[in-house]
């Protein structure tokens, strides 16, 4: 198993640790540190995989799954805490399922669909918003509302763009 795949597995393993720290009421700063470390492994594993030609089928599958697990776990806790509405998280989940479904259809036809720039922006914006929402700034209701709006807009935009650019695989 190569280093990028090990970093992806580390990210997956950090998800329950992150959730446990938050749900047990331990320091938000510890959880914030775990989330930042997990998020940085996403940048690092992709960089190493591309630079050293270590891209694997395992990485292609697990890397986006690890990202989704990390982000959705944080967002579900924010719903529980009243920082995000559940419909917003459902919108994020619906986009992820729809894009994953489109990718599966494309793959069954021998087409590989690379992640677009708007999807990368969505992921980065969402992770930054989650970091902000784990800080004392989240005590300001407007901060949560702005972060929620950023997550919503980037999620919907990237999902629509993905289908506009790749919808031909459905025909």
């Amino acid at each position: 198993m190569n280093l990028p795949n090990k970093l992806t597995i580390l990210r997956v393993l950090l998800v329950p640790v992150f959730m446990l720290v938050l749900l047990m009421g331990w320091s938000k700063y510890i959880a914030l540190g775990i989330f930042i470390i997990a998020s940085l492994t996403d940048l690092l594993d992709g960089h190493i995989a591309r630079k050293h030609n270590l891209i694997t089928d395992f990485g292609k599958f697990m890397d986006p799954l690890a990202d989704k697990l990390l982000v959705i776990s944080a967002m579900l806790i924010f719903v529980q805490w009243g920082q995000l509405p559940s419909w917003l998280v459902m919108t994020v989940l619906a986009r992820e399922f729809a894009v994953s479904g489109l990718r599966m259809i494309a793959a069954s036809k021998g087409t590989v669909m690379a992640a677009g720039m708007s999807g990368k922006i969505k992921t980065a914006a969402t992770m930054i918003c989650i970091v902000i929402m784990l800080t004392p700034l989240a005590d300001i209701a407007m901060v949560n509302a702005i972060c929620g709006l950023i997550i919503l807009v980037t999620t919907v935009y990237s999902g629509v763009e993905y289908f506009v650019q790749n919808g031909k695989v459905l025909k």
Side-chain angles (χ1 to χ4, degrees), residues 94-128:
R95 183 255 185 223
E96 297 304 337
F97 285 134
V99 167
S100 293
L102 186 62
R103 280 191 168 147
M104 283 188 260
I105 292 168
S108 73
K109 296 179 178 185
T111 303
V112 176
M113 301 170 81
M117 183 53 72
S118 67
K120 293 178 184 200
I121 290 169
K122 171 205 58 99
T123 300
T126 299
M127 288 182 170
I128 290 167

PDB file of all heavy atoms in Angstrom, residues 94-128:
ATOM      1  N   ALA A  94     -27.658  14.745  -1.477  1.00  0.00           N
ATOM      2  CA  ALA A  94     -28.306  14.480  -2.766  1.00  0.00           C
ATOM      3  C   ALA A  94     -27.336  14.761  -3.909  1.00  0.00           C
ATOM      4  O   ALA A  94     -27.247  13.987  -4.870  1.00  0.00           O
ATOM      5  CB  ALA A  94     -29.571  15.321  -2.910  1.00  0.00           C
ATOM      6  N   ARG A  95     -26.595  15.837  -3.825  1.00  0.00           N
ATOM      7  CA  ARG A  95     -25.608  16.163  -4.864  1.00  0.00           C
ATOM      8  C   ARG A  95     -24.550  15.076  -4.952  1.00  0.00           C
ATOM      9  O   ARG A  95     -24.172  14.635  -6.031  1.00  0.00           O
ATOM     10  CB  ARG A  95     -24.971  17.521  -4.553  1.00  0.00           C
ATOM     11  CG  ARG A  95     -23.971  17.998  -5.621  1.00  0.00           C
ATOM     12  CD  ARG A  95     -22.553  17.836  -5.103  1.00  0.00           C
ATOM     13  NE  ARG A  95     -21.582  18.385  -6.054  1.00  0.00           N
ATOM     14  CZ  ARG A  95     -20.458  17.784  -6.377  1.00  0.00           C
ATOM     15  NH1 ARG A  95     -20.129  16.634  -5.835  1.00  0.00           N
ATOM     16  NH2 ARG A  95     -19.625  18.337  -7.234  1.00  0.00           N
ATOM     17  N   GLU A  96     -24.063  14.638  -3.791  1.00  0.00           N
ATOM     18  CA  GLU A  96     -23.014  13.618  -3.778  1.00  0.00           C
ATOM     19  C   GLU A  96     -23.519  12.303  -4.373  1.00  0.00           C
ATOM     20  O   GLU A  96     -22.809  11.664  -5.162  1.00  0.00           O
ATOM     21  CB  GLU A  96     -22.479  13.397  -2.360  1.00  0.00           C
ATOM     22  CG  GLU A  96     -21.811  14.618  -1.751  1.00  0.00           C
ATOM     23  CD  GLU A  96     -20.662  15.199  -2.565  1.00  0.00           C
ATOM     24  OE1 GLU A  96     -20.062  14.464  -3.385  1.00  0.00           O
ATOM     25  OE2 GLU A  96     -20.352  16.374  -2.393  1.00  0.00           O
ATOM     26  N   PHE A  97     -24.734  11.886  -4.008  1.00  0.00           N
ATOM     27  CA  PHE A  97     -25.301  10.658  -4.580  1.00  0.00           C
ATOM     28  C   PHE A  97     -25.517  10.796  -6.075  1.00  0.00           C
ATOM     29  O   PHE A  97     -25.239   9.870  -6.845  1.00  0.00           O
ATOM     30  CB  PHE A  97     -26.623  10.290  -3.900  1.00  0.00           C
ATOM     31  CG  PHE A  97     -26.462   9.694  -2.523  1.00  0.00           C
ATOM     32  CD1 PHE A  97     -27.256  10.130  -1.472  1.00  0.00           C
ATOM     33  CD2 PHE A  97     -25.527   8.692  -2.276  1.00  0.00           C
ATOM     34  CE1 PHE A  97     -27.127   9.575  -0.204  1.00  0.00           C
ATOM     35  CE2 PHE A  97     -25.395   8.139  -1.008  1.00  0.00           C
ATOM     36  CZ  PHE A  97     -26.198   8.583   0.030  1.00  0.00           C
ATOM     37  N   ALA A  98     -26.020  11.950  -6.505  1.00  0.00           N
ATOM     38  CA  ALA A  98     -26.283  12.156  -7.935  1.00  0.00           C
ATOM     39  C   ALA A  98     -24.992  12.132  -8.748  1.00  0.00           C
ATOM     40  O   ALA A  98     -24.916  11.477  -9.792  1.00  0.00           O
ATOM     41  CB  ALA A  98     -27.028  13.473  -8.147  1.00  0.00           C
ATOM     42  N   VAL A  99     -23.978  12.823  -8.287  1.00  0.00           N
ATOM     43  CA  VAL A  99     -22.700  12.855  -9.003  1.00  0.00           C
ATOM     44  C   VAL A  99     -22.054  11.472  -8.991  1.00  0.00           C
ATOM     45  O   VAL A  99     -21.535  11.011 -10.015  1.00  0.00           O
ATOM     46  CB  VAL A  99     -21.759  13.932  -8.413  1.00  0.00           C
ATOM     47  CG1 VAL A  99     -20.337  13.778  -8.930  1.00  0.00           C
ATOM     48  CG2 VAL A  99     -22.293  15.326  -8.743  1.00  0.00           C
ATOM     49  N   SER A 100     -22.118  10.778  -7.852  1.00  0.00           N
ATOM     50  CA  SER A 100     -21.558   9.421  -7.784  1.00  0.00           C
ATOM     51  C   SER A 100     -22.298   8.493  -8.741  1.00  0.00           C
ATOM     52  O   SER A 100     -21.677   7.660  -9.415  1.00  0.00           O
ATOM     53  CB  SER A 100     -21.643   8.874  -6.354  1.00  0.00           C
ATOM     54  OG  SER A 100     -20.801   9.615  -5.509  1.00  0.00           O
ATOM     55  N   GLY A 101     -23.609   8.635  -8.816  1.00  0.00           N
ATOM     56  CA  GLY A 101     -24.390   7.826  -9.748  1.00  0.00           C
ATOM     57  C   GLY A 101     -24.011   8.096 -11.189  1.00  0.00           C
ATOM     58  O   GLY A 101     -23.857   7.169 -11.995  1.00  0.00           O
ATOM     59  N   LEU A 102     -23.846   9.362 -11.528  1.00  0.00           N
ATOM     60  CA  LEU A 102     -23.443   9.726 -12.884  1.00  0.00           C
ATOM     61  C   LEU A 102     -22.060   9.148 -13.202  1.00  0.00           C
ATOM     62  O   LEU A 102     -21.833   8.643 -14.298  1.00  0.00           O
ATOM     63  CB  LEU A 102     -23.437  11.250 -13.043  1.00  0.00           C
ATOM     64  CG  LEU A 102     -23.174  11.791 -14.440  1.00  0.00           C
ATOM     65  CD1 LEU A 102     -24.257  11.329 -15.416  1.00  0.00           C
ATOM     66  CD2 LEU A 102     -23.111  13.324 -14.412  1.00  0.00           C
ATOM     67  N   ARG A 103     -21.159   9.194 -12.230  1.00  0.00           N
ATOM     68  CA  ARG A 103     -19.825   8.620 -12.422  1.00  0.00           C
ATOM     69  C   ARG A 103     -19.894   7.113 -12.655  1.00  0.00           C
ATOM     70  O   ARG A 103     -19.159   6.563 -13.468  1.00  0.00           O
ATOM     71  CB  ARG A 103     -18.932   8.910 -11.215  1.00  0.00           C
ATOM     72  CG  ARG A 103     -18.349  10.282 -11.232  1.00  0.00           C
ATOM     73  CD  ARG A 103     -17.280  10.414 -10.176  1.00  0.00           C
ATOM     74  NE  ARG A 103     -16.551  11.642 -10.411  1.00  0.00           N
ATOM     75  CZ  ARG A 103     -16.023  12.392  -9.472  1.00  0.00           C
ATOM     76  NH1 ARG A 103     -16.121  12.026  -8.222  1.00  0.00           N
ATOM     77  NH2 ARG A 103     -15.367  13.485  -9.777  1.00  0.00           N
ATOM     78  N   MET A 104     -20.785   6.438 -11.923  1.00  0.00           N
ATOM     79  CA  MET A 104     -20.924   4.984 -12.108  1.00  0.00           C
ATOM     80  C   MET A 104     -21.456   4.652 -13.495  1.00  0.00           C
ATOM     81  O   MET A 104     -20.980   3.707 -14.135  1.00  0.00           O
ATOM     82  CB  MET A 104     -21.844   4.404 -11.041  1.00  0.00           C
ATOM     83  CG  MET A 104     -21.184   4.253  -9.692  1.00  0.00           C
ATOM     84  SD  MET A 104     -22.228   3.347  -8.539  1.00  0.00           S
ATOM     85  CE  MET A 104     -22.917   4.696  -7.608  1.00  0.00           C
ATOM     86  N   ILE A 105     -22.419   5.424 -13.958  1.00  0.00           N
ATOM     87  CA  ILE A 105     -22.948   5.204 -15.303  1.00  0.00           C
ATOM     88  C   ILE A 105     -21.853   5.434 -16.334  1.00  0.00           C
ATOM     89  O   ILE A 105     -21.677   4.645 -17.263  1.00  0.00           O
ATOM     90  CB  ILE A 105     -24.164   6.116 -15.577  1.00  0.00           C
ATOM     91  CG1 ILE A 105     -25.348   5.689 -14.697  1.00  0.00           C
ATOM     92  CG2 ILE A 105     -24.558   6.097 -17.053  1.00  0.00           C
ATOM     93  CD1 ILE A 105     -26.489   6.677 -14.676  1.00  0.00           C
ATOM     94  N   ALA A 106     -21.093   6.516 -16.165  1.00  0.00           N
ATOM     95  CA  ALA A 106     -19.994   6.809 -17.091  1.00  0.00           C
ATOM     96  C   ALA A 106     -18.966   5.680 -17.075  1.00  0.00           C
ATOM     97  O   ALA A 106     -18.497   5.247 -18.127  1.00  0.00           O
ATOM     98  CB  ALA A 106     -19.335   8.138 -16.722  1.00  0.00           C
ATOM     99  N   ALA A 107     -18.626   5.210 -15.879  1.00  0.00           N
ATOM    100  CA  ALA A 107     -17.635   4.140 -15.766  1.00  0.00           C
ATOM    101  C   ALA A 107     -18.124   2.869 -16.456  1.00  0.00           C
ATOM    102  O   ALA A 107     -17.340   2.168 -17.093  1.00  0.00           O
ATOM    103  CB  ALA A 107     -17.329   3.868 -14.297  1.00  0.00           C
ATOM    104  N   SER A 108     -19.419   2.599 -16.357  1.00  0.00           N
ATOM    105  CA  SER A 108     -19.959   1.398 -17.007  1.00  0.00           C
ATOM    106  C   SER A 108     -19.876   1.497 -18.528  1.00  0.00           C
ATOM    107  O   SER A 108     -19.910   0.492 -19.220  1.00  0.00           O
ATOM    108  CB  SER A 108     -21.406   1.160 -16.576  1.00  0.00           C
ATOM    109  OG  SER A 108     -22.278   2.101 -17.172  1.00  0.00           O
ATOM    110  N   LYS A 109     -19.735   2.717 -19.024  1.00  0.00           N
ATOM    111  CA  LYS A 109     -19.600   2.947 -20.467  1.00  0.00           C
ATOM    112  C   LYS A 109     -18.147   3.189 -20.859  1.00  0.00           C
ATOM    113  O   LYS A 109     -17.861   3.599 -21.984  1.00  0.00           O
ATOM    114  CB  LYS A 109     -20.461   4.136 -20.889  1.00  0.00           C
ATOM    115  CG  LYS A 109     -21.950   3.886 -20.692  1.00  0.00           C
ATOM    116  CD  LYS A 109     -22.781   5.082 -21.099  1.00  0.00           C
ATOM    117  CE  LYS A 109     -24.262   4.772 -20.934  1.00  0.00           C
ATOM    118  NZ  LYS A 109     -25.110   5.852 -21.418  1.00  0.00           N
ATOM    119  N   GLY A 110     -17.238   2.995 -19.903  1.00  0.00           N
ATOM    120  CA  GLY A 110     -15.817   3.142 -20.195  1.00  0.00           C
ATOM    121  C   GLY A 110     -15.306   4.571 -20.160  1.00  0.00           C
ATOM    122  O   GLY A 110     -14.210   4.850 -20.625  1.00  0.00           O
ATOM    123  N   THR A 111     -16.096   5.471 -19.599  1.00  0.00           N
ATOM    124  CA  THR A 111     -15.705   6.879 -19.520  1.00  0.00           C
ATOM    125  C   THR A 111     -15.310   7.222 -18.092  1.00  0.00           C
ATOM    126  O   THR A 111     -16.028   6.890 -17.151  1.00  0.00           O
ATOM    127  CB  THR A 111     -16.874   7.798 -19.951  1.00  0.00           C
ATOM    128  OG1 THR A 111     -17.273   7.436 -21.266  1.00  0.00           O
ATOM    129  CG2 THR A 111     -16.483   9.258 -19.910  1.00  0.00           C
ATOM    130  N   VAL A 112     -14.174   7.881 -17.946  1.00  0.00           N
ATOM    131  CA  VAL A 112     -13.737   8.350 -16.634  1.00  0.00           C
ATOM    132  C   VAL A 112     -14.037   9.837 -16.543  1.00  0.00           C
ATOM    133  O   VAL A 112     -13.665  10.607 -17.426  1.00  0.00           O
ATOM    134  CB  VAL A 112     -12.229   8.095 -16.423  1.00  0.00           C
ATOM    135  CG1 VAL A 112     -11.770   8.669 -15.097  1.00  0.00           C
ATOM    136  CG2 VAL A 112     -11.929   6.609 -16.504  1.00  0.00           C
ATOM    137  N   MET A 113     -14.719  10.221 -15.487  1.00  0.00           N
ATOM    138  CA  MET A 113     -15.087  11.627 -15.310  1.00  0.00           C
ATOM    139  C   MET A 113     -14.223  12.222 -14.212  1.00  0.00           C
ATOM    140  O   MET A 113     -14.360  11.863 -13.044  1.00  0.00           O
ATOM    141  CB  MET A 113     -16.565  11.732 -14.957  1.00  0.00           C
ATOM    142  CG  MET A 113     -17.449  11.115 -16.030  1.00  0.00           C
ATOM    143  SD  MET A 113     -19.149  10.979 -15.522  1.00  0.00           S
ATOM    144  CE  MET A 113     -19.683  12.613 -15.842  1.00  0.00           C
ATOM    145  N   ALA A 114     -13.347  13.106 -14.602  1.00  0.00           N
ATOM    146  CA  ALA A 114     -12.467  13.752 -13.632  1.00  0.00           C
ATOM    147  C   ALA A 114     -13.247  14.799 -12.845  1.00  0.00           C
ATOM    148  O   ALA A 114     -14.243  15.344 -13.324  1.00  0.00           O
ATOM    149  CB  ALA A 114     -11.297  14.401 -14.347  1.00  0.00           C
ATOM    150  N   ALA A 115     -12.781  15.062 -11.642  1.00  0.00           N
ATOM    151  CA  ALA A 115     -13.401  16.111 -10.830  1.00  0.00           C
ATOM    152  C   ALA A 115     -13.141  17.458 -11.487  1.00  0.00           C
ATOM    153  O   ALA A 115     -12.032  17.738 -11.943  1.00  0.00           O
ATOM    154  CB  ALA A 115     -12.821  16.090  -9.423  1.00  0.00           C
ATOM    155  N   GLY A 116     -14.170  18.267 -11.539  1.00  0.00           N
ATOM    156  CA  GLY A 116     -14.050  19.596 -12.131  1.00  0.00           C
ATOM    157  C   GLY A 116     -13.554  20.613 -11.118  1.00  0.00           C
ATOM    158  O   GLY A 116     -13.535  20.356  -9.907  1.00  0.00           O
ATOM    159  N   MET A 117     -13.168  21.759 -11.610  1.00  0.00           N
ATOM    160  CA  MET A 117     -12.663  22.816 -10.730  1.00  0.00           C
ATOM    161  C   MET A 117     -13.734  23.271  -9.735  1.00  0.00           C
ATOM    162  O   MET A 117     -13.442  23.518  -8.567  1.00  0.00           O
ATOM    163  CB  MET A 117     -12.161  24.006 -11.558  1.00  0.00           C
ATOM    164  CG  MET A 117     -11.546  25.107 -10.707  1.00  0.00           C
ATOM    165  SD  MET A 117     -10.240  24.553  -9.582  1.00  0.00           S
ATOM    166  CE  MET A 117      -8.941  24.224 -10.720  1.00  0.00           C
ATOM    167  N   SER A 118     -14.997  23.349 -10.187  1.00  0.00           N
ATOM    168  CA  SER A 118     -16.043  23.808  -9.262  1.00  0.00           C
ATOM    169  C   SER A 118     -16.235  22.811  -8.120  1.00  0.00           C
ATOM    170  O   SER A 118     -16.530  23.207  -6.995  1.00  0.00           O
ATOM    171  CB  SER A 118     -17.355  24.047  -9.997  1.00  0.00           C
ATOM    172  OG  SER A 118     -17.903  22.845 -10.484  1.00  0.00           O
ATOM    173  N   GLY A 119     -16.039  21.521  -8.387  1.00  0.00           N
ATOM    174  CA  GLY A 119     -16.125  20.522  -7.326  1.00  0.00           C
ATOM    175  C   GLY A 119     -14.994  20.664  -6.328  1.00  0.00           C
ATOM    176  O   GLY A 119     -15.185  20.495  -5.119  1.00  0.00           O
ATOM    177  N   LYS A 120     -13.812  20.996  -6.833  1.00  0.00           N
ATOM    178  CA  LYS A 120     -12.675  21.212  -5.934  1.00  0.00           C
ATOM    179  C   LYS A 120     -12.880  22.471  -5.094  1.00  0.00           C
ATOM    180  O   LYS A 120     -12.550  22.494  -3.907  1.00  0.00           O
ATOM    181  CB  LYS A 120     -11.380  21.290  -6.741  1.00  0.00           C
ATOM    182  CG  LYS A 120     -11.034  19.957  -7.378  1.00  0.00           C
ATOM    183  CD  LYS A 120      -9.786  20.022  -8.221  1.00  0.00           C
ATOM    184  CE  LYS A 120      -9.586  18.673  -8.893  1.00  0.00           C
ATOM    185  NZ  LYS A 120      -8.274  18.432  -9.346  1.00  0.00           N
ATOM    186  N   ILE A 121     -13.444  23.491  -5.711  1.00  0.00           N
ATOM    187  CA  ILE A 121     -13.751  24.726  -4.976  1.00  0.00           C
ATOM    188  C   ILE A 121     -14.802  24.441  -3.913  1.00  0.00           C
ATOM    189  O   ILE A 121     -14.705  24.916  -2.782  1.00  0.00           O
ATOM    190  CB  ILE A 121     -14.196  25.839  -5.942  1.00  0.00           C
ATOM    191  CG1 ILE A 121     -13.009  26.300  -6.793  1.00  0.00           C
ATOM    192  CG2 ILE A 121     -14.828  27.004  -5.188  1.00  0.00           C
ATOM    193  CD1 ILE A 121     -13.367  27.204  -7.947  1.00  0.00           C
ATOM    194  N   LYS A 122     -15.810  23.634  -4.275  1.00  0.00           N
ATOM    195  CA  LYS A 122     -16.858  23.255  -3.321  1.00  0.00           C
ATOM    196  C   LYS A 122     -16.255  22.554  -2.117  1.00  0.00           C
ATOM    197  O   LYS A 122     -16.561  22.888  -0.977  1.00  0.00           O
ATOM    198  CB  LYS A 122     -17.892  22.344  -3.984  1.00  0.00           C
ATOM    199  CG  LYS A 122     -18.890  21.749  -2.999  1.00  0.00           C
ATOM    200  CD  LYS A 122     -19.504  20.451  -3.444  1.00  0.00           C
ATOM    201  CE  LYS A 122     -18.552  19.361  -3.733  1.00  0.00           C
ATOM    202  NZ  LYS A 122     -18.332  18.358  -2.698  1.00  0.00           N
ATOM    203  N   THR A 123     -15.372  21.594  -2.370  1.00  0.00           N
ATOM    204  CA  THR A 123     -14.751  20.852  -1.272  1.00  0.00           C
ATOM    205  C   THR A 123     -13.928  21.781  -0.382  1.00  0.00           C
ATOM    206  O   THR A 123     -14.045  21.748   0.841  1.00  0.00           O
ATOM    207  CB  THR A 123     -13.875  19.708  -1.819  1.00  0.00           C
ATOM    208  OG1 THR A 123     -14.715  18.820  -2.574  1.00  0.00           O
ATOM    209  CG2 THR A 123     -13.191  18.945  -0.702  1.00  0.00           C
ATOM    210  N   ALA A 124     -13.121  22.617  -0.995  1.00  0.00           N
ATOM    211  CA  ALA A 124     -12.285  23.544  -0.221  1.00  0.00           C
ATOM    212  C   ALA A 124     -13.146  24.531   0.570  1.00  0.00           C
ATOM    213  O   ALA A 124     -12.894  24.758   1.761  1.00  0.00           O
ATOM    214  CB  ALA A 124     -11.334  24.301  -1.147  1.00  0.00           C
ATOM    215  N   ALA A 125     -14.155  25.100  -0.069  1.00  0.00           N
ATOM    216  CA  ALA A 125     -15.028  26.064   0.614  1.00  0.00           C
ATOM    217  C   ALA A 125     -15.759  25.402   1.776  1.00  0.00           C
ATOM    218  O   ALA A 125     -15.880  25.988   2.866  1.00  0.00           O
ATOM    219  CB  ALA A 125     -16.027  26.663  -0.375  1.00  0.00           C
ATOM    220  N   THR A 126     -16.230  24.187   1.548  1.00  0.00           N
ATOM    221  CA  THR A 126     -16.947  23.470   2.615  1.00  0.00           C
ATOM    222  C   THR A 126     -16.023  23.189   3.789  1.00  0.00           C
ATOM    223  O   THR A 126     -16.392  23.406   4.950  1.00  0.00           O
ATOM    224  CB  THR A 126     -17.548  22.160   2.068  1.00  0.00           C
ATOM    225  OG1 THR A 126     -18.474  22.482   1.025  1.00  0.00           O
ATOM    226  CG2 THR A 126     -18.261  21.380   3.158  1.00  0.00           C
ATOM    227  N   MET A 127     -14.807  22.732   3.505  1.00  0.00           N
ATOM    228  CA  MET A 127     -13.870  22.434   4.587  1.00  0.00           C
ATOM    229  C   MET A 127     -13.477  23.699   5.349  1.00  0.00           C
ATOM    230  O   MET A 127     -13.384  23.681   6.579  1.00  0.00           O
ATOM    231  CB  MET A 127     -12.656  21.695   4.053  1.00  0.00           C
ATOM    232  CG  MET A 127     -12.978  20.266   3.668  1.00  0.00           C
ATOM    233  SD  MET A 127     -11.514  19.375   3.101  1.00  0.00           S
ATOM    234  CE  MET A 127     -12.145  17.709   3.033  1.00  0.00           C
ATOM    235  N   ILE A 128     -13.301  24.796   4.640  1.00  0.00           N
ATOM    236  CA  ILE A 128     -12.980  26.067   5.310  1.00  0.00           C
ATOM    237  C   ILE A 128     -14.150  26.506   6.182  1.00  0.00           C
ATOM    238  O   ILE A 128     -13.964  26.940   7.331  1.00  0.00           O
ATOM    239  CB  ILE A 128     -12.601  27.148   4.277  1.00  0.00           C
ATOM    240  CG1 ILE A 128     -11.244  26.815   3.655  1.00  0.00           C
ATOM    241  CG2 ILE A 128     -12.589  28.534   4.912  1.00  0.00           C
ATOM    242  CD1 ILE A 128     -10.901  27.628   2.417  1.00  0.00           C
TER     243      ILE A 128
END
